Amino acid sequence: MAQDRGSSEDFTRPLKRLLLAVLTLCFIVLFLFWRIDSPRVERMRAQVVDAVVPRMDWAMAPVTATVKILRDFQSYQSIHEQNQELRRELRQMTAWKEAALQLEQENARLRDLNNVRLDPRLTYITGVVLADSGSPFRQSVLINVGSRDGIVDGWATMDGIGLVGRIAGVGANTSRVILLTDTNSRIPVEILPSGQRALVVGDNSAAPPIDFLEDPGQVRPGDRIVTTGDGEVFPPGLLIGQVAQDPGGRLRARLAADYERLEFLRVLRDHGARRVSQPSGLILPENIPDSEAPAPALDGQDAGDG
């Protein structure tokens, strides 16, 4: 077996060398033939190309398919890069859209503040809400204006539509606002068009109840509620909201201010509010009659003396 294998290798090795030499010679002849610059040779080359090339489609099919695959891959890679770029731009545009929506809402609230019709004698300053109390038992917010801005305890605060509360605590740079919904809030109000007087009493709910109505029969849901100015706590005529009725039949105030989105508050400078300096001034008339002056005589006594 080893001898047969060795003899076969000795026979095929020269044959391979001969075949390689013949192929090399054929390529050299073909190269020289292709390089000859002669009209006759040119016609022969054209005939060879016309005879061979149309019949070589089957041989060029793998090459054509490979080139097409490469081009498709390059196109897919380009599309993938464009898709990634579009995704990045979409994320940026989403962030810009969110910022634009926030600016639009902020602009709308500021326009609402500018459109509120107030007493021309009242001036105001606008503050930004910094934080809320975060407690279910205390309804208040903190704004970024204080004593350096001339803020005084007791001044009313409004959002773009209605009354929000009053200043209750002033620092140098911040102030605390007690909301109408706080349990410490008691606001004298007037219900229009009936003109009924009442109190809006905070109870830590979104719709505080209306108490001490003079004649509840004249009040209907949807009536407007405004401040009266009684007690000179708030200026008169500030909008609070509308009358509503809960399932239990109790009248409540549906507040006009948007307590879910308090971002800007307008503090009303009420310089004309009277400040009580002497408690007796609340119960005694300004001009007290002189106690040493003789009391006027009654007509009956004069007649008896006569």
Side-chain angles (χ1 to χ4, degrees), residues 194-272:
S194 63
Q196 295 293 307
R197 299 296 181 97
L199 285 180
V200 172
V201 181
D203 62 348
N204 288 335
S205 67
I210 302 174
D211 290 339
F212 303 106
L213 271 171
E214 298 175 354
D215 187 0
Q218 298 185 22
V219 177
R220 298 289 184 271
D223 290 350
R224 295 177 68 248
I225 306 173
V226 298
T227 58
T228 63
D230 293 342
E232 299 186 359
V233 178
F234 291 115
L238 301 181
L239 178 64
I240 293 179
Q242 294 180 338
V243 176
Q245 193 170 22
D246 62 13
R250 188 175 187 182
L251 296 178
R252 292 181 175 270
R254 183 185 296 114
L255 300 178
D258 188 359
Y259 280 72
E260 297 296 328
R261 294 184 299 178
L262 291 179
E263 295 186 8
F264 303 94
L265 291 183
R266 171 179 287 182
V267 183
L268 305 183
R269 297 191 181 103
D270 188 12
H271 296 293

Side-chain angles (χ1 to χ4, degrees), residues 274-288:
R274 179 175 60 86
R275 288 178 171 79
V276 178
S277 58
Q278 296 179 357
S280 60
L282 295 176
I283 57 177
L284 296 179
E286 295 182 0
N287 297 324
I288 302 176

Side-chain angles (χ1 to χ4, degrees), residues 10-278:
D10 293 339
F11 177 75
T12 57
R13 187 176 294 124
L15 186 59
K16 291 179 180 179
R17 292 178 180 176
L18 179 62
L19 182 60
L20 181 60
V22 171
L23 289 175
T24 303
L25 181 61
C26 290
F27 286 141
I28 292 173
V29 172
L30 182 61
F31 177 75
L32 294 176
F33 174 75
W34 216 262
R35 297 294 296 176
I36 296 175
D37 187 10
S38 172
R40 183 177 297 177
V41 176
E42 182 66 26
R43 287 195 297 270
M44 291 179 62
R45 286 200 296 264
Q47 292 176 359
V48 171
V49 170
D50 291 340
V52 174
V53 172
R55 300 178 182 179
M56 294 294 292
D57 291 341
W58 60 271
M60 295 298 295
V63 178
T64 304
T66 303
V67 172
K68 185 178 180 181
I69 290 173
L70 290 176
R71 289 178 179 175
D72 291 343
F73 178 77
Q74 292 177 353
S75 178
Y76 172 77
Q77 185 177 7
S78 176
I79 292 174
H80 178 72
E81 293 176 355
Q82 292 179 2
N83 190 18
Q84 295 298 324
E85 182 65 24
L86 289 175
R87 287 178 182 272
R88 286 192 293 268
E89 292 181 359
L90 181 60
R91 285 194 294 268
Q92 293 177 356
M93 292 182 66
T94 302
W96 294 341
K97 178 183 177 181
E98 184 66 24
L101 289 175
Q102 293 178 359
L103 290 175
E104 183 180 1
Q105 294 173 359
E106 180 178 334
N107 191 20
R109 295 188 184 94
L110 290 175
R111 286 200 304 268
D112 288 338
L113 287 176
N114 290 330
N115 290 332
V116 174
R117 295 182 180 179
L118 300 174
D119 190 330
R121 292 173 297 178
L122 295 174
T123 59
Y124 61 87
I125 180 172
T126 301
V128 178
V129 176
L130 301 177
D132 58 19
S133 62
S135 171
F137 306 106
R138 183 176 176 82
Q139 301 288 324
S140 65
V141 295
L142 197 68
I143 58 176
N144 67 339
V145 289
S147 59
R148 63 180 175 84
D149 304 294
I151 303 299
V152 176
D153 269 331
W155 281 358
T157 60
M158 302 182 67
D159 73 344
I161 302 176
L163 185 67
V164 172
R166 59 181 173 83
I167 300 294
V170 180
N173 301 313
T174 58
S175 300
R176 176 70 63 179
V177 178
I178 296 296
L179 305 181
L180 298 184
T181 55
D182 189 83
T183 54
N184 295 320
S185 176
R186 302 289 189 275
I187 308 300
V189 299
E190 181 181 6
I191 300 176
L192 303 176
S194 63
Q196 295 293 307
R197 299 296 181 97
L199 285 180
V200 172
V201 181
D203 62 348
N204 288 335
S205 67
I210 302 174
D211 290 339
F212 303 106
L213 271 171
E214 298 175 354
D215 187 0
Q218 298 185 22
V219 177
R220 298 289 184 271
D223 290 350
R224 295 177 68 248
I225 306 173
V226 298
T227 58
T228 63
D230 293 342
E232 299 186 359
V233 178
F234 291 115
L238 301 181
L239 178 64
I240 293 179
Q242 294 180 338
V243 176
Q245 193 170 22
D246 62 13
R250 188 175 187 182
L251 296 178
R252 292 181 175 270
R254 183 185 296 114
L255 300 178
D258 188 359
Y259 280 72
E260 297 296 328
R261 294 184 299 178
L262 291 179
E263 295 186 8
F264 303 94
L265 291 183
R266 171 179 287 182
V267 183
L268 305 183
R269 297 191 181 103
D270 188 12
H271 296 293
R274 179 175 60 86
R275 288 178 171 79
V276 178
S277 58
Q278 296 179 357

